[in-house]
Amino acid sequence: MLNSESLNYIYYVIGQISTPVFFIALIAGWKSVNTRSLLLILLVVEAIDTLVSNIALSWRYNFYLWVFFYSLIYIYVVFARRLIAIKLSPHFKFFDEVRKNYYFSKQEGGLIFVYACASLFLFINLIEIKLYQYGVLGSLFIVEQLFSPALTLLYLVEALLLLRLSIRTLPIDND
């Protein structure tokens, strides 16, 4: 049976798979300008998140406030990719091509759903932590028991959606 340390390690490893999956998906979906633009923008967001999260960890309870607000940025990026491309198209030919060939895929809808679920869950965690911080609750059940498994599941679904998004553009040999 897995002990608590083993589970925490598994949660940690799965939590770290996002960036490598972004790169694998980017390579696999390079031919699609839409896939490439979405993944490049998400990689930038992921990089900023990684850089700032170490600072945010020092905020103790307010770390969860940061994580919640930053989760909303992922939703914004998927929704507003076309608007981002329009704003950047005068400056970069790549984004002009994205603007002209934009389409919204089912996988992007799935990503929005996953990011919305994560945001909702993080908001619930934030409320629980604030109630605990102000002495209303005596323990952090959701944070201690459900946080890691729920986010692990969402990371896995995100990874599968990103890979599916990228491989749908690959040519298939029927030999």
Side-chain angles (χ1 to χ4, degrees), residues 8-155:
N8 286 337
Y9 182 72
I10 290 169
Y11 297 148
Y12 173 78
V13 169
I14 292 174
Q16 301 302 312
I17 67 169
S18 291
T19 305
V21 167
F22 281 127
F23 281 112
I24 292 167
L26 182 62
I27 292 166
W30 190 259
K31 284 187 176 183
S32 169
V33 69
N34 285 295
T35 301
R36 195 173 353 140
S37 69
L38 177 62
L39 291 171
L40 285 172
I41 294 169
L42 284 173
L43 267 168
V44 168
V45 170
E46 184 78 14
I48 293 168
D49 184 22
T50 301
L51 291 172
V52 177
S53 65
N54 287 335
I55 297 167
L57 276 170
S58 68
W59 300 343
R60 294 186 33 107
Y61 295 124
N62 292 324
F63 168 75
Y64 290 91
L65 182 64
W66 160 257
V67 173
F68 166 69
F69 281 118
Y70 210 78
S71 71
L72 297 175
I73 292 173
Y74 284 90
I75 296 170
Y76 174 78
V77 164
V78 178
F79 264 129
R81 184 169 54 90
R82 182 173 173 268
L83 298 173
I84 294 168
I86 289 170
K87 287 282 188 189
L88 295 175
S89 63
H91 309 290
F92 301 98
K93 184 180 176 187
F94 170 72
F95 286 105
D96 189 46
E97 189 178 339
V98 171
R99 182 186 57 81
K100 291 176 184 172
N101 297 307
Y102 173 81
Y103 62 87
F104 188 82
S105 68
K106 291 183 278 188
Q107 291 81 13
E108 289 172 87
L111 283 173
I112 289 172
F113 179 73
V114 167
Y115 294 149
C117 287
S119 296
L120 177 64
F121 186 69
L122 289 166
F123 184 71
I124 292 168
N125 282 331
L126 178 62
I127 290 171
E128 182 186 45
I129 285 170
K130 288 300 177 183
L131 290 173
Y132 176 78
Q133 182 182 7
Y134 295 119
V136 176
L137 296 177
S139 68
L140 295 169
F141 175 76
I142 295 173
V143 171
E144 292 173 354
Q145 302 299 320
L146 301 176
F147 185 75
S148 293
L151 285 184
T152 299
L153 178 64
L154 291 171
Y155 282 135

Side-chain angles (χ1 to χ4, degrees), residues 25 106-107 158-169:
K106 291 183 278 188
Q107 291 81 13
E158 176 197 34
L160 293 172
L161 282 167
L162 290 171
L163 292 173
R164 177 65 184 121
L165 175 71
S166 65
I167 64 170
R168 69 183 172 77
T169 60

